[in-house]
Amino acid sequence: MSKHTTLHKDALRMLKLTSRTFYIPIRMLKPALKETVGSAYLCMRAVDEIEDHETMDVRTKQTLLRAVSKLLQKSTFNNVEYEALIEPYKEMLPDVTLRLADWVAFCPPEIVGKVKESTSIMASGMADWVEKGWHIQSKEDLDDYTYYVAGLVGVMLSDIWEWYDNTRTDRDLAIGYGRGLQAVNILRNQDEDYKERGVRFIPDGWSRDDVFDYATAHLKMADEYIKDIKTRNILLFCKIPLALAKQTLDTMKKGNEKMTRQEVQATVDKIVNE
């Protein structure tokens, strides 16, 4: 079995372990897109796990995130340097983070520069928010935080679509799409984030209803975003997380914590069969 085939299997297995939302649509992509988007997701998940780590101290998080950001800015990702950087924390970090070099290597060389650039910006922005203690005081703060942790994903995906078949999409709407998905995550994980990390990703003075409004407004931007997409493969990928986010909002408004597996599958099936 070739190294690339092994990486392909490892990447899909890791995607299934780390993302309930994105594993399904990534699995449906054609090979070149599946590898590119899969690699991109895992690279970003690798740095996200550092930011989200429940026991790592904030100084270590900042150091690691900023160092990873710099490594990703180099023309060739230096795995020896990365291994030396994470060596003291190997027992703490999950496999998706330990294997960042593999996810970079898995990405097609024609687009890997864009993936590394977006992941680098994300890591740097996350480091800044770790330093601020994730204290989101205003809507502007929320916009800034959601840009770095999710809006950038939208921008990177737009770069990937354009590389793949010249599909051109609005980058501002892409950022709105990402912010909408992240706002849904904030609502869904609000109690858990506060109990386990003492963090509240909600501006001072905002109610839960205000966050619902923020999420709804940005998911409407996502609706506009997908209007530019004609390639069915890409359109399906974008529609599935959007539909799941909308359905999750409705579920939470009814007082339920999350969608059932059956509801998730029914939502996916409806989109695929449209």
Side-chain angles (χ1 to χ4, degrees), residues 5 9 67 73 117 159 164 180 201 225 233:
T5 301
K9 290 186 175 181
Q73 290 169 24
E117 178 186 23
D159 289 336
Y164 179 69
F201 296 100
Y225 174 76
N233 200 215

Side-chain angles (χ1 to χ4, degrees), residues 17-143:
L17 288 172
T18 55
S19 177
R20 181 186 178 193
T21 301
F22 282 100
Y23 172 70
I24 297 170
I26 289 175
R27 189 185 58 187
M28 294 179 178
L29 290 169
K30 291 181 180 177
L33 276 180
K34 186 186 294 185
E35 292 185 357
T36 307
V37 177
S39 160
Y41 175 84
L42 290 172
C43 286
M44 289 187 160
R45 185 61 185 250
V47 300
D48 184 61
E49 289 286 353
I50 298 172
E51 187 226 6
D52 280 348
H53 203 286
E54 293 176 8
T55 59
M56 186 177 285
D57 67 88
V58 295
R59 189 177 295 274
T60 300
K61 287 184 178 185
Q62 290 175 58
T63 299
L64 287 178
L65 287 166
R66 292 197 168 112
V68 170
S69 178
K70 288 180 180 177
L71 282 174
L72 288 165
Q73 290 169 24
K74 296 182 178 181
S75 57
T76 301
F77 188 80
N78 191 320
N79 191 34
V80 174
E81 285 187 45
Y82 184 67
E83 289 281 345
L85 174 68
I86 62 173
E87 178 62 37
Y89 314 103
K90 274 195 168 182
E91 299 303 315
M92 300 176 70
L93 294 169
D95 283 348
V96 68
T97 304
L98 297 178
R99 297 189 62 183
L100 175 58
D102 283 340
W103 316 139
V104 173
F106 183 55
C107 190
E110 302 87 356
I111 191 66
V112 70
K114 285 286 187 182
V115 171
K116 287 164 54 186
E117 178 186 23
S118 294
T119 309
S120 172
I121 295 169
M122 175 181 278
S124 178
M126 285 179 169
D128 290 343
W129 275 103
V130 170
E131 187 173 1
K132 295 172 188 174
W134 301 278
H135 187 191
I136 293 172
Q137 297 174 287
S138 64
K139 178 182 179 295
E140 289 72 28
D141 286 344
L142 182 59
D143 282 344

